[in-house]
Amino acid sequence: MSDDLQARAAHNAGIQRRAEDEMARMGIDAAFIDHLVETFYGRVLAHPELGPVFDGRLHGRWPEHMAKMKSFWSAIAFKNGGYAGKPVQAHVGVQGMTSGLFPQWLALFSETLSDIAPSREAHDWFMATAERIARSLTLSLFYNPALDDPAIKRI
């Protein structure tokens, strides 16, 4: 292995080790990620507005989605590179999805964390991360830069 590859591998291992240490300090482990995903998506399905949108897209494919979400949140929390999906593309064209659903998704996520997170620090870390994800998805899916053009007259 070249020196450059070894240096990159060591750098990445250090990032992952620091993330694992940070999560451990907050009480986060793989079992918590599984519990979070299972609890949250159970609540999503029961939600009067989110449930139909999610189930409309995932009906019959919930086990695969749950595994993917566990991989996604583990990769984010532990920085282990275990997720290789494309979140924006996965959300393009979802029937019934609107930008107005994201605040509801975040509120439900926060409620779930308030009920099950092992510490306030864990709650806050996951919420800050979820807010960044929601903002990114909202901008990617719904933002039209032309609407911000001051040259366009609005009535």
Side-chain angles (χ1 to χ4, degrees), residues 14-51:
I15 289 170
Q16 185 174 343
R17 188 174 45 256
R18 286 187 298 278
E20 290 169 353
D21 290 347
E22 179 184 13
M23 291 298 116
R25 279 192 303 278
M26 290 188 277
I28 303 302
D29 58 12
F32 172 77
I33 299 288
D34 288 354
H35 183 51
L36 173 62
V37 169
E38 293 286 340
T39 303
F40 175 65
Y41 281 100
R43 292 176 180 190
V44 163
L45 271 172
H47 190 277
E49 292 183 54
L50 296 171

Side-chain angles (χ1 to χ4, degrees), residues 50-69:
L50 296 171
V53 174
F54 275 81
D55 198 43
R57 177 67 166 212
L58 298 169
H59 189 75
R61 298 184 303 121
W62 276 101
E64 294 88 357
H65 181 70
M66 299 300 281
K68 188 178 287 188
M69 290 300 93

Side-chain angles (χ1 to χ4, degrees), residues 21-149:
D21 290 347
E22 179 184 13
M23 291 298 116
R25 279 192 303 278
M26 290 188 277
I28 303 302
D29 58 12
F32 172 77
I33 299 288
D34 288 354
H35 183 51
L36 173 62
V37 169
E38 293 286 340
T39 303
F40 175 65
Y41 281 100
R43 292 176 180 190
V44 163
L45 271 172
H47 190 277
E49 292 183 54
L50 296 171
V53 174
F54 275 81
D55 198 43
R57 177 67 166 212
L58 298 169
H59 189 75
R61 298 184 303 121
W62 276 101
E64 294 88 357
H65 181 70
M66 299 300 281
K68 188 178 287 188
M69 290 300 93
K70 290 173 184 178
S71 174
F72 175 79
W73 281 106
S74 289
I76 290 172
F78 301 115
K79 298 191 182 352
N80 61 20
Y83 177 78
K86 297 178 180 175
V88 172
Q89 289 85 348
H91 290 84
V92 169
V94 173
Q95 189 72 23
M97 181 178 284
T98 66
S99 61
L101 291 177
F102 284 92
Q104 294 177 62
W105 183 90
L106 286 169
L108 190 60
F109 196 68
S110 181
E111 288 173 25
T112 302
L113 287 166
S114 291
D115 290 344
I116 68 169
S119 66
R120 184 66 199 184
E121 186 180 12
H123 174 283
D124 294 348
W125 187 91
F126 276 91
M127 276 312 300
T129 303
E131 287 165 355
R132 284 192 303 275
I133 292 165
R135 186 173 30 248
S136 176
L137 284 172
T138 300
L139 288 171
S140 296
L141 297 169
F142 301 106
Y143 177 65
N144 181 346
L147 297 177
D148 285 343
D149 187 345

